[in-house]
Amino acid sequence: MFARIIALTIKELLAVLRDKRSRFVLIGPPIIQLMIFGYAATFDLNDIPLAVYNEDGGAASREFISRFEGSPHFHVIATPDHDAEIAPLIDERRALMVLHLGTHFSADLARGDSASAQIILDGRNSNTAMLALNYARTIVIDFNEAWAARHGGMAAPAHLVMRAWFNPTLSSRWFIIPGIVGLLTLVVTLVVTALSVAREREAGTFDQLLVTPLRPVEILIGKSLPGLLIGLIEGSLIILVAMYWFDIPLRGSVGALYAGLGLFLLSAIGVGLMISSLSITQQQGLLGAFLFLVPAVILSGFATPIENMPRAVQLLTYLDPLRYFMIVLRGVFLEGSSYALLLHQYWPMAVIGLISLTLAGWLFRHRMY
Amino acid sequence: MNRRPEARGGARTRLRGMVRKEFLQILRDPSSIAIAFVMPVVLLFLFGYGVSLDAKDVPLALVADHPDTNTSGLLRAFEHSDYFTPYHYADIQTAMQALRTQQVDGIVWLREDFSRRLLSSADAPIGVIVNGVNANQARITEGYIQGAWQSWLEHYAAAQGRELEAPVMVEPRVWFNAALYSRHFLVPGLIAVIMTLIGALLTSLVIAREWERGTMEALMVTPIRIREILLGKLIPYFILGMGGMLLTVVLARWQFEVPLRGSFLLLLLASALFMLVALGMGLLISIVSKNQFVAGQIAIIVTFLPAFILSGFIFDIGSMPAPVQFITHLVPARYFVSIVQTLFLAGDIWPVLLPNAGALALMAAVFFALVRRRASKRLD
């Protein structure tokens, strides 16, 4: 039995790796993508293009503006001096934010009244706009404190002392890169498995496979092993790059990480083989893989948090194996989560894997043409 | 010489035959139709309803080591904020445990001496710990906490019979999306992501399939020219893709109520241009790979993830490092995302539309030139 499974596994591996281009697309692009996306996928803002429209010109207004100029987050790109110049700056996306100080700014401040600073933002990307506004507010709060301290105004009686656990500098790269590990592993595994049965169906060799002494369980194992092997190797490679190139701390145990990776691969292979045995042509297999992949990425919490989704969509995410693996990856990498804490992520992946593999095995024999 | 008019007439017949064959192939294999019509609808619904960057009801632990009227006054500001779901903990240890097990996303901690320092020296610290794993979310939460703190400051000053006069008050105005509603910016961008997928996926397999099945050789022995084969493949998928595009625009406008402030005609023109780029990319992949496995892999690699991550659809391009910003210029979706976001939310702003449309036209030209060069009626 083992000999038969091994023979089939070798044949499957050859089918994928024999072609030079196939070999390349399995290894090259995921690593290149990790490098590019690792740098690209960030919610952190730096160099926010800022335009300053200062109608006042007094010393206080210049002091206020210098706090923006000195901030690493802002970068002054224009200093308009008419109202009419503001709209084109925002419309044409040259400035994300316009800071507008009216003619009374310094006078109001000197009199001890509240001076107002108008901030105009480009809301086309609402997340960026909100973060930029938060940065600006922090600068204004600092200015207010300093001003109050110097001019005998009322200082705030209590201050916020903020700390962030697990990611003290709040670098979004630490959040996104462990996520990319899951994303790329899913893509590779799914493509390897989703075409494996469909390719044979299209070529007609799957019927031949069914009449060999191989039992469906053995075919299932033989078809799963290459995906598992390729997935494990790719996954490890990507994890190494995340750790040593991007310096993402691995605070938990390697065992907890690989337990998650193994179970995740099991579920991804199950889904891939199920899609594959449902499809008659490779095109259908590929489209099926895509129809699964895209929602799986969106619902996994990779870029946007699951908690922000409405209740019904949140329920849907429980069907997505990537959802659980994302929590495992981020938990092990950043929070140092233990096996016990991750148990609730492990078992659903195992269940998804077993159900989908069983279905795939059943479909082998029951979907014929 | 006198064969030319006849050849031209023949070209029309041959092209019509090729288009008819492709249409039949699409109709017989429902997966193409699924990808053109079902996938955009499913995706748009998932994103529209499911994907949001707006944090609401952030679970927040509130801890007062020594509860009294001052601490409850401050904590009330967090209880009354719409952004938090407050949980009270008696001591900081249990609150930290809750943060570790992800029951709460943040802690506000008032130590034993809070009231004393508030009254005596007026520099009482308010301890805030947030879970920084999701850095973006953590930053937004910090912003909300700052807001609650500010509203407490006003109440506190009012209670003492003073009016809080912050030296500088911020008056924010957000243009195009006053409520900072993330759906309004995600849905137009999503149209671009969906159309990249559909255009490239639909066509990336069509020529690879002919090679793999050996029907390319059958096509070669017919009088059909390579240009006609390409056009014959392009026309049906263009029509299919534009159908999917219209569907997403209609859903975005009426189902998700994203305002369409620019002109519909411009949107349609830009879409057609972008569809050509996506189809050209798909055809090129298909011709270069000649194998469905490779074509599929390449299509997934160069379309979905770059359109998702490098297009500015969700991650801000301006914040990426310079070399990566340079790479984004090679992603067609980047130009289209900019066009759709502007047309939907801002209006017909020509200085944004023209350069982006120009870039798309250039890309379409390059892709088709490459397709034309690589495609030949020749056996390898």
Side-chain angles (χ1 to χ4, degrees):
Chain A
M1 176 183 167
F2 274 121
R4 288 200 299 264
I5 292 178
I6 287 170
L8 183 60
T9 307
I10 291 173
K11 177 230 139 212
E12 288 294 321
L13 276 174
L14 281 177
V16 175
L17 299 177
R18 184 195 37 169
D19 181 32
K20 204 175 98 193
R21 277 171 308 186
S22 307
R23 271 200 308 273
F24 175 75
V25 293
L26 277 181
I27 296 159
I31 296 296
I32 298 169
Q33 287 193 309
L34 178 63
M35 302 304 283
I36 296 175
F37 296 162
Y39 284 108
T42 172
F43 284 117
D44 307 337
L45 295 183
N46 42 50
D47 273 355
I48 300 167
L50 171 75
V52 177
Y53 176 29
N54 186 356
E55 284 189 284
D56 179 71
S61 71
R62 286 202 304 274
E63 186 194 329
F64 181 74
I65 288 164
S66 70
R67 284 187 176 256
F68 280 86
E69 288 166 344
S71 157
H73 299 300
F74 292 96
H75 168 74
V76 179
I77 54 116
T79 48
D81 32 44
H82 295 288
D83 279 338
E85 289 173 52
I86 294 178
L89 281 170
I90 297 266
D91 284 351
E92 295 165 23
R93 295 197 137 164
R94 278 186 281 150
L96 179 74
M97 187 169 127
V98 175
L99 177 63
H100 177 194
L101 304 180
T103 44
H104 306 298
F105 186 84
S106 298
D108 284 344
L109 265 177
R111 227 182 306 123
D113 288 343
S114 265
S116 75
Q118 198 186 70
I119 287 177
I120 303 164
L121 290 147
D122 177 357
R124 263 170 280 186
N125 183 331
S126 62
N127 191 56
T128 309
M130 191 187 304
L131 290 178
L133 184 58
N134 280 354
Y135 286 135
R137 280 217 164 100
T138 309
I139 291 179
V140 173
I141 287 171
D142 288 348
F143 173 85
N144 283 348
E145 302 249 302
W147 184 270
R150 256 190 299 146
H151 296 82
M154 193 190 71
H159 303 264
L160 294 172
V161 183
M162 300 212 249
R163 269 193 300 156
W165 272 10
F166 310 124
N167 184 358
T169 55
L170 287 183
S171 154
S172 58
R173 196 163 286 157
W174 285 24
F175 173 68
I176 296 286
I177 288 180
I180 293 181
V181 173
L183 202 68
L184 292 179
T185 312
L186 179 66
V187 172
V188 169
T189 317
L190 210 56
V191 175
V192 170
T193 50
L195 293 186
S196 71
V197 179
R199 184 173 37 227
E200 299 216 35
R201 280 243 161 90
E202 205 175 87
T205 52
F206 198 67
D207 292 343
Q208 293 172 10
L209 205 59
L210 286 178
V211 296
T212 59
L214 281 162
R215 277 179 292 150
V217 181
E218 293 167 17
I219 299 180
L220 195 65
I221 298 174
K223 291 259 172 207
S224 305
L225 278 180
L228 191 69
L229 220 62
I230 293 173
L232 270 178
I233 294 171
E234 290 265 0
S236 307
L237 205 61
I238 299 169
I239 288 170
L240 284 178
V241 174
M243 283 169 64
Y244 294 103
W245 182 271
F246 287 106
D247 286 325
I248 311 294
L250 181 66
R251 299 196 172 117
S253 76
V254 177
L257 189 60
Y258 274 87
L261 180 62
L263 288 170
F264 173 66
L265 285 175
L266 189 74
S267 58
I269 290 166
V271 172
L273 283 180
M274 198 167 78
I275 292 168
S276 197
S277 41
L278 270 172
S279 33
I280 316 160
T281 60
Q282 289 193 63
Q283 178 163 19
Q284 285 181 359
L286 198 81
L287 295 186
F290 235 86
L291 283 177
F292 172 77
L293 180 69
V294 175
V297 170
I298 293 165
L299 294 179
S300 66
F302 163 67
T304 59
I306 292 174
E307 301 87 74
N308 293 358
M309 301 174 185
R311 193 80 206 123
V313 182
Q314 284 198 27
L315 287 177
L316 213 58
T317 65
Y318 289 112
L319 296 175
D320 179 3
L322 191 58
R323 173 215 154 98
Y324 305 101
F325 191 43
M326 284 284 163
I327 300 178
V328 172
L329 282 166
R330 285 169 181 154
V332 175
F333 265 107
L334 302 180
E335 299 172 58
S337 303
S338 58
Y339 289 100
L341 211 56
L342 294 174
L343 197 66
H344 291 302
Q345 317 302 331
Y346 289 148
W347 70 260
M349 288 194 284
V351 170
I352 294 173
L354 288 180
I355 292 179
S356 52
L357 281 173
T358 315
L359 267 173
W362 185 82
L363 283 168
F364 282 170
R365 275 182 307 170
H366 291 80
R367 192 169 158 91
M368 300 235 303
Y369 308 91
Chain B
M1 287 302 259
N2 54 0
R3 275 189 58 226
R4 290 196 67 180
E6 190 194 318
R8 210 176 293 144
R12 205 171 300 137
T13 319
R14 290 197 298 269
L15 185 58
R16 204 180 300 135
M18 188 72 200
V19 169
R20 201 177 117 81
K21 172 219 154 226
E22 287 296 322
F23 261 122
L24 282 177
Q25 221 160 7
I26 291 172
L27 288 178
R28 295 216 179 122
D29 181 356
S31 59
S32 300
I33 297 186
I35 219 123
F37 294 108
V38 180
M39 196 156 124
V41 174
V42 170
L43 278 180
L44 206 60
F45 271 86
L46 274 181
F47 259 89
Y49 287 113
V51 174
S52 156
L53 290 163
D54 312 329
K56 287 194 308 266
D57 304 328
V58 177
L60 187 71
L62 303 176
V63 185
D65 283 347
H66 187 85
D68 59 26
T69 51
N70 290 313
T71 61
S72 60
L74 172 55
L75 295 185
R76 204 170 301 128
F78 291 97
E79 288 160 12
H80 287 176
S81 163
D82 291 336
Y83 298 116
F84 301 113
T85 307
Y87 294 91
H88 288 273
Y89 288 88
D91 61 287
I92 189 69
Q93 267 70 36
T94 44
M96 283 180 170
Q97 188 54 33
L99 185 66
R100 242 174 243 124
T101 53
Q102 283 153 22
Q103 286 166 286
V104 296
D105 284 346
I107 301 176
V108 173
W109 179 23
L110 305 178
R111 286 170 210 248
E112 199 123 15
D113 57 356
F114 177 78
S115 288
R116 189 176 52 76
R117 289 177 68 174
L118 180 73
L119 299 173
S120 64
S121 53
D123 67 339
I126 304 166
V128 173
I129 307 172
V130 293
N131 182 335
V133 169
N134 184 343
N136 188 52
Q137 197 79 352
R139 264 213 198 94
I140 292 171
T141 305
E142 284 188 349
Y144 292 156
I145 289 175
Q146 243 171 22
W149 170 67
Q150 290 266 320
S151 80
W152 170 76
L153 285 179
E154 275 167 41
H155 277 270
Y156 185 76
Q160 295 195 323
R162 285 181 296 167
E163 203 176 319
L164 179 79
E165 289 256 321
V168 176
M169 299 281 250
V170 175
E171 254 181 67
R173 292 216 189 132
V174 183
W175 284 7
F176 314 130
N177 187 357
L180 283 175
Y181 207 31
S182 68
R183 185 187 290 171
H184 283 185
F185 109 81
L186 287 172
V187 169
L190 183 67
I191 295 179
V193 174
I194 292 177
M195 292 337 283
T196 316
L197 279 183
I198 289 167
L201 260 183
L202 282 176
T203 44
S204 62
L205 298 175
V206 295
I207 289 187
R209 187 176 55 195
E210 304 260 8
W211 276 111
E212 216 173 88
R213 288 185 180 164
T215 48
M216 199 59 163
E217 288 177 31
L219 274 176
M220 279 181 189
V221 297
T222 64
I224 197 162
R225 306 228 174 94
I226 192 76
R227 188 181 58 224
E228 289 155 13
I229 297 182
L230 294 177
L231 269 179
K233 300 253 172 207
L234 204 62
I235 293 169
Y237 288 104
F238 182 79
I239 294 171
L240 209 58
M242 286 306 282
M245 168 76 86
L246 268 180
L247 201 61
T248 54
V249 169
V250 166
L251 280 178
R253 178 65 193 81
W254 281 282
Q255 182 67 35
F256 294 106
E257 294 170 348
V258 181
L260 178 60
R261 300 200 173 105
S263 91
F264 179 71
L265 187 68
L266 280 178
L267 185 61
L268 210 62
L269 284 176
S271 308
L273 193 57
F274 178 68
M275 189 47 74
L276 283 179
V277 179
L279 294 177
M281 193 158 76
L283 274 182
L284 186 64
I285 293 171
S286 171
I287 286 173
V288 171
S289 51
K290 292 187 180 169
N291 159 330
Q292 293 192 59
F293 175 79
V294 178
Q297 264 280 22
I298 297 180
I300 290 181
I301 286 161
V302 304
T303 59
F304 173 52
L305 291 180
F308 190 77
I309 293 175
L310 297 176
S311 66
F313 146 68
I314 193 160
F315 300 106
D316 188 54
I317 293 177
S319 308
M320 299 173 188
V324 178
Q325 284 196 30
F326 177 76
I327 294 172
T328 63
H329 285 285
L330 303 175
V331 179
R334 175 213 157 113
Y335 306 103
F336 193 52
V337 165
S338 194
I339 293 179
V340 221
Q341 281 182 352
T342 300
L343 277 179
F344 265 99
L345 298 177
D348 298 340
I349 295 168
W350 290 103
V352 175
L353 300 181
L354 279 181
N356 284 309
L360 283 180
L362 186 70
M363 290 192 108
V366 169
F367 278 132
F368 283 110
L370 284 174
V371 164
R372 191 66 193 82
R373 260 188 69 174
R374 292 296 302 254
S376 50
K377 279 176 84 168
R378 195 175 56 213
L379 292 171
D380 280 321

